[in-house]
Amino acid sequence: MPERSEDYAYCETMLRRDDSDRWLATFFVPEAFRKHVYALYAFNIEIARVREIVSEPLLGEIRYQWWRDVLEKPGEGDVAANPVAAALLDTIERFALPKDSLLRLIDARVFDLYDEPMEDIGAFEVYAAATTSNLFRLVRLIVDPEDIGGGLGVAEHGGIAYAVTGLLRALPWHSARGQLYVPRELLKRFGADRTDFALGRATPEICAALAEMRNFARNHLEVFATRIAGLPDASQAPFLPVALCELYLKQMDKRRYDPFKTPVVLPQWQRQWALWRASRNWRS
């Protein structure tokens, strides 16, 4: 089987540029597995950014179908010409990764193409579990294939918390293009007007709804924290990005925080320190 070193290098470059938190976390993954984690994360970037690169939902649906065909018909088409697809298929074959998990991730992302919010927090959990939690599970299967079932609860809760945190950080960009990930039920509960999201107005009602989303993320972080220590040390590295969630959430708790204007960022040294500390503290 060809090494595909250029394809994997392309994936790492993409990850370092477009998702630096996950890229920093890969340094705690054993080097032998690292390039394959790059491939999974690069695939995730490709799927997550479809909305950004198409002019209408139908074109996004076509793009997603191309990726389904990559997984279901790997010997057809121009797959080899796409470095992310080539590295992904190589990784799937080497580690016998379940393609149905990747297909579920694609199917869940179809939601991103449209502007209607989810109905309730349960629908958000389903979306986050199919996307972010699913990705954590797949990375773990690369690092520790012997213990397939033991980390599923960790992946679920960590993934949901990570998804909420990321979507709150991306709120200014999503709102500007008409996307809304705050469930309709929360908007109604706090009397928040969806129009204010599109206009970037941080009303008290919107701030209350977003604070509830942060509480929701923290509830999942609490469960995650009780379970991560139960995993073998070798299986914990795939979940290290979750260690950054609370740092970002605290920035959103600040009194002068404007969800549409205040950047929620951390210097690289602080992220590296948080990842290193978690890699030590989680050990059983």
Side-chain angles (χ1 to χ4, degrees):
M1 188 179 297
E3 289 299 320
R4 298 200 173 279
S5 57
E6 292 184 2
D7 295 330
Y8 283 109
Y10 180 94
C11 291
E12 182 187 4
T13 298
M14 176 188 289
L15 182 63
R16 183 175 185 175
R17 181 190 65 219
D18 298 334
D19 193 346
S20 61
D21 285 353
R22 284 189 170 111
W23 176 73
L24 288 171
T26 61
F27 284 95
F28 296 88
V29 171
E31 187 174 1
F33 303 125
R34 208 171 289 161
K35 68 178 184 179
H36 302 291
V37 176
Y38 296 153
L40 274 181
Y41 282 152
F43 163 76
N44 181 65
I45 292 170
E46 289 278 17
I47 300 303
R49 72 180 181 184
V50 167
R51 168 76 183 246
E52 300 173 18
I53 62 176
V54 298
S55 57
E56 58 180 283
L58 179 59
L59 297 177
E61 297 266 14
I62 292 171
R63 186 63 180 166
Y64 285 139
Q65 187 56 51
W66 185 88
W67 279 103
R68 291 189 190 97
D69 290 342
V70 165
L71 296 170
E72 295 175 330
K73 307 170 186 177
E76 300 180 11
D78 57 348
V79 173
N82 184 301
V84 176
L88 176 67
L89 290 175
D90 185 52
T91 294
I92 290 171
E93 184 172 349
R94 289 175 185 268
F95 296 92
L97 296 182
K99 291 184 180 180
D100 62 319
S101 294
L102 295 162
L103 291 168
R104 285 199 302 273
L105 191 155
I106 294 172
D107 291 343
R109 283 288 186 179
V110 172
F111 172 84
D112 299 352
L113 299 176
Y114 301 93
D115 295 340
E116 285 304 306
M118 300 167 192
E119 285 300 320
D120 51 37
I121 206 71
F124 186 97
E125 286 182 310
V126 171
Y127 170 87
T131 53
T132 314
S133 299
N134 206 358
L135 191 63
F136 278 134
R137 290 190 191 103
L138 289 165
V139 173
R140 187 175 180 226
L141 286 177
I142 290 175
V143 175
D144 184 17
E146 298 301 322
D147 187 13
I148 295 175
L152 295 185
V154 174
E156 178 181 359
H157 293 285
I160 293 172
Y162 196 79
V164 174
T165 304
L167 290 169
L168 290 176
R169 291 180 64 208
L171 183 69
W173 295 275
H174 290 155
S175 297
R177 62 187 184 217
Q179 284 179 289
L180 182 57
Y181 288 89
V182 180
R184 199 189 309 272
E185 179 271 329
L186 277 186
L187 299 180
K188 183 177 180 180
R189 187 196 311 175
F190 292 98
D193 189 339
R194 183 178 173 185
T195 304
D196 288 325
F197 280 93
L199 297 175
R201 292 195 295 234
T203 65
E205 293 81 9
I206 282 180
C207 291
L210 296 180
E212 183 64 16
M213 289 291 286
R214 296 198 295 275
N215 289 337
F216 172 63
R218 285 184 166 117
N219 289 339
H220 282 281
L221 282 176
E222 287 179 8
V223 179
F224 172 84
T226 65
R227 300 186 181 184
I228 187 65
L231 292 185
D233 291 349
S235 299
Q236 294 177 350
F239 302 106
L240 280 173
V242 181
L244 301 176
C245 288
E246 182 58 33
L247 296 177
Y248 288 126
L249 293 172
K250 284 181 177 179
Q251 289 200 1
M252 300 178 211
D253 290 336
K254 292 180 179 179
R255 187 173 181 179
R256 296 185 181 275
Y257 169 65
D258 184 326
F260 300 102
K261 297 177 182 178
T262 307
V264 184
V265 296
L266 296 169
Q268 182 168 318
W269 71 264
Q270 190 174 2
R271 289 178 286 152
Q272 288 175 311
W273 170 252
L275 293 168
W276 178 84
R277 185 176 57 188
S279 73
R280 303 290 177 177
N281 292 344
W282 289 355
R283 292 180 179 178
S284 54

Coordinates of all heavy atoms in Angstrom, one line a residue, residues 11-54:
C11 N -3.1 17.1 4.6 CA -4.1 17.1 5.7 C -3.6 17.8 6.9 O -4.3 18.5 7.6 CB -4.4 15.6 6.1 SG -5.4 14.7 4.8
E12 N -2.3 17.6 7.3 CA -1.8 18.3 8.4 C -1.7 19.8 8.2 O -2.1 20.6 9.1 CB -0.4 17.8 8.8 CG 0.2 18.5 10.0 CD 1.6 18.2 10.3 OE1 2.3 17.5 9.5 OE2 2.1 18.7 11.4
T13 N -1.3 20.2 7.0 CA -1.3 21.6 6.7 C -2.7 22.3 6.9 O -2.9 23.3 7.4 CB -0.8 21.9 5.3 OG1 0.6 21.4 5.2 CG2 -0.8 23.4 5.0
M14 N -3.7 21.6 6.4 CA -5.1 22.0 6.5 C -5.5 22.1 7.9 O -6.1 23.1 8.4 CB -6.0 21.1 5.7 CG -7.5 21.5 5.9 SD -8.6 20.2 5.1 CE -8.3 20.5 3.4
L15 N -5.2 21.1 8.7 CA -5.6 21.1 10.1 C -4.9 22.2 10.9 O -5.5 22.9 11.7 CB -5.2 19.7 10.7 CG -5.6 19.5 12.2 CD1 -7.2 19.6 12.3 CD2 -5.1 18.2 12.7
R16 N -3.6 22.4 10.6 CA -2.9 23.4 11.4 C -3.4 24.8 11.0 O -3.5 25.7 11.9 CB -1.4 23.4 11.0 CG -0.5 24.4 11.8 CD 0.9 24.2 11.4 NE 1.7 25.1 12.3 CZ 3.1 25.1 12.3 NH1 3.7 24.2 11.5 NH2 3.7 25.9 13.0
R17 N -3.8 25.0 9.8 CA -4.4 26.3 9.4 C -5.8 26.6 9.8 O -6.1 27.7 10.3 CB -4.3 26.4 7.9 CG -4.8 27.7 7.3 CD -4.9 27.6 5.7 NE -6.0 26.7 5.4 CZ -5.9 25.8 4.4 NH1 -4.8 25.8 3.6 NH2 -6.9 25.0 4.1
D18 N -6.6 25.6 9.8 CA -8.1 25.8 9.9 C -8.6 25.3 11.3 O -9.8 25.6 11.6 CB -8.8 25.0 8.8 CG -8.5 25.6 7.4 OD1 -8.1 26.8 7.4 OD2 -8.6 24.9 6.4
D19 N -7.9 24.5 12.0 CA -8.4 23.9 13.3 C -7.2 23.7 14.2 O -6.8 22.6 14.5 CB -9.1 22.6 13.0 CG -10.0 22.2 14.3 OD1 -9.7 22.8 15.3 OD2 -10.8 21.3 14.1
S20 N -6.6 24.8 14.7 CA -5.4 24.8 15.4 C -5.5 24.1 16.8 O -4.6 23.5 17.3 CB -4.8 26.1 15.6 OG -5.6 27.0 16.3
D21 N -6.7 24.1 17.4 CA -6.9 23.5 18.6 C -6.7 22.0 18.5 O -6.0 21.3 19.3 CB -8.3 23.8 19.2 CG -8.4 25.2 19.8 OD1 -7.4 25.9 19.9 OD2 -9.5 25.6 20.2
R22 N -7.4 21.4 17.5 CA -7.2 19.9 17.3 C -5.8 19.6 16.9 O -5.3 18.6 17.2 CB -8.3 19.4 16.3 CG -9.7 19.3 16.9 CD -10.6 18.6 15.9 NE -11.9 18.3 16.4 CZ -13.0 18.8 16.1 NH1 -13.0 19.8 15.2 NH2 -14.1 18.4 16.6
W23 N -5.2 20.5 16.1 CA -3.8 20.2 15.6 C -2.9 20.2 16.8 O -2.0 19.3 16.9 CB -3.4 21.3 14.6 CG -2.0 21.2 14.2 CD1 -1.4 20.2 13.4 CD2 -0.8 22.0 14.6 NE1 -0.1 20.4 13.2 CE2 0.3 21.5 14.0 CE3 -0.7 23.1 15.5 CZ2 1.6 22.0 14.2 CZ3 0.5 23.6 15.7 CH2 1.7 23.1 15.0
L24 N -3.0 21.1 17.8 CA -2.2 21.1 18.9 C -2.4 19.9 19.8 O -1.4 19.3 20.3 CB -2.4 22.4 19.8 CG -1.9 23.7 19.3 CD1 -2.5 24.8 20.1 CD2 -0.4 23.7 19.2
A25 N -3.6 19.4 19.8 CA -3.9 18.2 20.6 C -3.3 16.9 20.0 O -3.0 16.0 20.7 CB -5.5 18.0 20.8
T26 N -3.1 16.9 18.7 CA -2.5 15.7 18.1 C -1.1 15.5 18.5 O -0.6 14.3 18.4 CB -2.5 15.8 16.6 OG1 -1.7 16.9 16.1 CG2 -4.0 16.0 16.0
F27 N -0.4 16.4 19.1 CA 1.0 16.2 19.6 C 1.0 15.2 20.8 O 2.1 14.7 21.1 CB 1.6 17.5 19.9 CG 2.1 18.3 18.7 CD1 1.3 19.3 18.2 CD2 3.3 18.0 18.1 CE1 1.7 20.0 17.1 CE2 3.7 18.7 17.0 CZ 2.9 19.7 16.5
F28 N -0.1 15.0 21.4 CA -0.2 14.1 22.5 C -0.7 12.7 22.0 O -0.7 11.7 22.8 CB -1.2 14.6 23.6 CG -0.7 15.9 24.2 CD1 -1.1 17.1 23.6 CD2 0.0 15.9 25.3 CE1 -0.6 18.3 24.2 CE2 0.5 17.1 25.9 CZ 0.1 18.3 25.3
V29 N -1.0 12.6 20.7 CA -1.3 11.3 20.1 C 0.0 10.6 19.7 O 0.9 11.3 19.2 CB -2.2 11.4 18.9 CG1 -2.3 10.1 18.1 CG2 -3.5 12.0 19.3
P30 N 0.2 9.3 20.0 CA 1.5 8.7 19.5 C 1.8 8.9 18.1 O 0.9 8.9 17.2 CB 1.2 7.2 19.8 CG 0.2 7.2 20.9 CD -0.7 8.4 20.7
E31 N 3.0 9.2 17.8 CA 3.4 9.6 16.5 C 3.0 8.7 15.4 O 2.7 9.1 14.2 CB 4.9 9.8 16.4 CG 5.4 10.5 15.1 CD 6.9 10.8 15.2 OE1 7.6 10.5 16.2 OE2 7.4 11.3 14.2
A32 N 3.0 7.4 15.7 CA 2.7 6.4 14.6 C 1.2 6.5 14.1 O 0.9 6.2 13.0 CB 2.8 5.0 15.2
F33 N 0.4 7.1 15.0 CA -1.0 7.3 14.6 C -1.4 8.7 14.1 O -2.5 8.9 13.6 CB -2.0 7.0 15.8 CG -1.7 5.6 16.4 CD1 -1.5 5.4 17.7 CD2 -1.8 4.5 15.6 CE1 -1.3 4.2 18.3 CE2 -1.7 3.2 16.1 CZ -1.4 3.1 17.5
R34 N -0.4 9.6 14.3 CA -0.8 11.0 14.2 C -1.3 11.4 12.8 O -2.3 12.1 12.6 CB 0.5 11.9 14.5 CG 0.1 13.2 15.1 CD 1.4 13.9 15.6 NE 1.9 13.3 16.8 CZ 3.1 13.4 17.3 NH1 4.0 14.1 16.7 NH2 3.4 12.8 18.4
K35 N -0.6 10.9 11.7 CA -1.0 11.3 10.4 C -2.4 10.8 10.0 O -3.1 11.4 9.3 CB 0.0 10.8 9.4 CG 0.1 9.3 9.2 CD 1.1 8.9 8.1 CE 1.1 7.4 7.8 NZ 2.1 7.0 6.8
H36 N -2.8 9.7 10.6 CA -4.1 9.2 10.4 C -5.2 10.0 11.1 O -6.3 10.2 10.6 CB -4.2 7.7 10.8 CG -3.2 6.8 10.1 ND1 -3.3 6.6 8.7 CD2 -2.1 6.2 10.5 CE1 -2.2 5.8 8.4 NE2 -1.5 5.6 9.5
V37 N -4.9 10.5 12.2 CA -5.8 11.5 12.9 C -5.9 12.8 12.1 O -7.0 13.3 11.9 CB -5.2 11.8 14.3 CG1 -6.1 12.8 15.0 CG2 -5.2 10.5 15.2
Y38 N -4.8 13.2 11.4 CA -4.8 14.3 10.5 C -5.9 14.1 9.4 O -6.6 15.0 9.1 CB -3.5 14.6 9.9 CG -2.3 15.0 10.8 CD1 -1.0 14.7 10.4 CD2 -2.5 15.6 12.0 CE1 0.1 15.1 11.2 CE2 -1.5 16.0 12.8 CZ -0.2 15.7 12.4 OH 0.9 16.1 13.1
A39 N -5.9 12.9 8.9 CA -6.8 12.6 7.8 C -8.2 12.7 8.2 O -9.1 13.3 7.5 CB -6.5 11.2 7.3
L40 N -8.5 12.2 9.4 CA -9.9 12.3 9.9 C -10.3 13.7 10.1 O -11.4 14.1 9.8 CB -10.1 11.5 11.2 CG -10.4 10.0 11.1 CD1 -10.5 9.4 12.5 CD2 -11.7 9.7 10.3
Y41 N -9.4 14.4 10.8 CA -9.8 15.8 11.1 C -9.9 16.7 9.8 O -10.7 17.6 9.7 CB -8.7 16.4 12.0 CG -8.9 16.0 13.4 CD1 -7.8 16.0 14.3 CD2 -10.2 15.7 14.0 CE1 -8.0 15.6 15.6 CE2 -10.3 15.4 15.3 CZ -9.2 15.3 16.1 OH -9.4 15.0 17.5
A42 N -9.1 16.4 8.8 CA -9.1 17.1 7.5 C -10.5 16.8 6.8 O -11.1 17.7 6.2 CB -8.0 16.8 6.6
F43 N -10.9 15.5 6.9 CA -12.2 15.2 6.3 C -13.3 16.0 7.0 O -14.2 16.5 6.4 CB -12.4 13.7 6.5 CG -13.8 13.2 6.4 CD1 -14.4 13.2 5.1 CD2 -14.6 12.9 7.5 CE1 -15.8 12.8 5.0 CE2 -15.9 12.5 7.4 CZ -16.5 12.4 6.2
N44 N -13.2 16.1 8.4 CA -14.2 16.8 9.1 C -14.2 18.3 8.7 O -15.3 18.9 8.5 CB -13.9 16.7 10.6 CG -14.9 17.5 11.4 OD1 -16.1 17.1 11.5 ND2 -14.5 18.5 12.1
I45 N -13.1 18.9 8.4 CA -13.0 20.3 8.0 C -13.7 20.4 6.6 O -14.5 21.3 6.4 CB -11.6 20.7 7.9 CG1 -10.9 20.9 9.3 CG2 -11.5 22.1 7.1 CD1 -9.5 21.1 9.3
E46 N -13.4 19.4 5.7 CA -14.1 19.5 4.4 C -15.6 19.4 4.5 O -16.3 20.2 3.8 CB -13.5 18.3 3.6 CG -12.1 18.4 3.1 CD -12.0 19.3 1.9 OE1 -12.9 20.0 1.5 OE2 -10.9 19.2 1.2
I47 N -16.1 18.6 5.4 CA -17.5 18.4 5.5 C -18.1 19.7 6.2 O -19.2 20.1 5.8 CB -17.8 17.2 6.3 CG1 -17.3 15.9 5.6 CG2 -19.3 17.0 6.5 CD1 -17.8 15.8 4.2
A48 N -17.4 20.2 7.2 CA -18.0 21.3 8.0 C -18.0 22.6 7.2 O -18.8 23.5 7.5 CB -17.2 21.5 9.3
R49 N -17.1 22.8 6.2 CA -17.1 24.0 5.5 C -17.9 24.1 4.2 O -17.8 25.1 3.5 CB -15.6 24.4 5.3 CG -14.9 23.6 4.2 CD -13.5 24.0 4.0 NE -12.8 23.3 3.0 CZ -11.5 23.4 2.7 NH1 -10.8 24.3 3.4 NH2 -10.9 22.7 1.8
V50 N -18.6 23.0 3.9 CA -19.4 23.0 2.7 C -20.3 24.2 2.5 O -20.3 24.8 1.5 CB -20.2 21.7 2.5 CG1 -21.2 21.8 1.4 CG2 -19.2 20.5 2.3
R51 N -21.0 24.6 3.6 CA -21.8 25.8 3.5 C -21.1 27.0 3.1 O -21.6 27.9 2.4 CB -22.5 26.0 4.9 CG -23.2 27.3 5.1 CD -24.6 27.4 4.4 NE -25.2 28.7 4.6 CZ -26.3 28.9 5.3 NH1 -26.9 27.9 5.9 NH2 -26.9 30.1 5.4
E52 N -19.8 27.1 3.5 CA -19.1 28.3 3.2 C -18.7 28.4 1.7 O -18.4 29.5 1.2 CB -17.8 28.3 4.0 CG -18.0 28.3 5.5 CD -16.7 28.2 6.3 OE1 -15.6 28.5 5.7 OE2 -16.8 27.9 7.5
I53 N -18.6 27.3 1.0 CA -18.0 27.3 -0.3 C -19.1 27.1 -1.4 O -18.7 27.0 -2.6 CB -16.9 26.2 -0.5 CG1 -17.4 24.8 -0.2 CG2 -15.8 26.5 0.5 CD1 -16.4 23.7 -0.4
V54 N -20.3 27.0 -1.0 CA -21.4 26.8 -2.1 C -22.3 28.0 -2.0 O -22.5 28.7 -1.0 CB -22.2 25.5 -1.9 CG1 -21.2 24.3 -2.0 CG2 -22.9 25.5 -0.5

